[in-house]
Amino acid sequence: MGNPSKALVKKPFLEANSGVKRNDFDPDALKQLIGREADCDIQSLDKHISRYHAELRKVGDRHNIRDTSRNGIYLDGEKIDKDKSYLLENGTKIELGQMGGVKLIYHCKKY
């Protein structure tokens, strides 16, 4: 299939590049959590990741991300404001924690 960011994406998905123990991302779920806790949909054991580090919310056929941590989130290398929602675009690189120990790439239809 090649590079997913270049392929036709029918449903959004999260590509886990590092630091993820479990990735149960569901593109149809209204709300999903990223963090260290066992009940998170995307779980990491990285010590720089908060128990509930981020929240994903479905918006139409894409997703918003919101930082709920003390350790920060970077989208495409830029630190985002805590408790503010950001709409994810196709190919958005997501890094979580002070050391960027968790790396994800969001894929969706291009607009």
Side-chain angles (χ1 to χ4, degrees):
M1 181 172 175
N3 183 347
S5 62
K6 304 262 187 217
L8 179 63
V9 177
K10 293 183 181 179
K11 284 199 169 210
F13 69 96
L14 275 178
E15 174 186 348
N17 286 344
S18 68
V20 174
K21 176 182 178 188
R22 186 183 74 252
N23 182 358
D24 290 338
F25 177 76
D26 176 356
D28 297 319
L30 295 179
K31 176 182 168 185
Q32 297 178 81
L33 300 173
I34 303 172
R36 286 194 333 260
E37 287 294 312
D39 62 340
C40 288
D41 304 283
I42 297 98
Q43 184 188 23
S44 173
L45 299 180
D46 187 298
K47 67 182 179 179
H48 298 289
I49 302 302
S50 298
R51 293 176 331 151
Y52 297 102
H53 198 97
E55 177 182 280
L56 295 168
R57 288 207 178 251
K58 185 174 170 74
V59 179
D61 58 355
R62 292 194 290 175
H63 294 82
N64 277 344
I65 191 167
R66 186 170 63 93
D67 183 0
T68 57
S69 74
R70 287 189 243 163
N71 296 324
I73 295 176
Y74 295 81
L75 298 181
D76 293 326
E78 299 286 325
K79 187 168 184 172
I80 65 172
D81 294 328
K82 184 173 174 50
D83 290 324
K84 184 176 174 188
S85 293
Y86 294 83
L87 185 63
L88 297 173
E89 303 284 342
N90 185 54
T92 299
K93 293 177 180 75
I94 304 164
E95 294 182 57
L96 296 105
Q98 296 172 344
M99 309 303 280
V102 173
K103 295 182 180 174
L104 305 161
I105 300 175
Y106 180 79
H107 298 281
C108 67
K109 288 184 350 186
K110 292 183 182 180
Y111 292 90

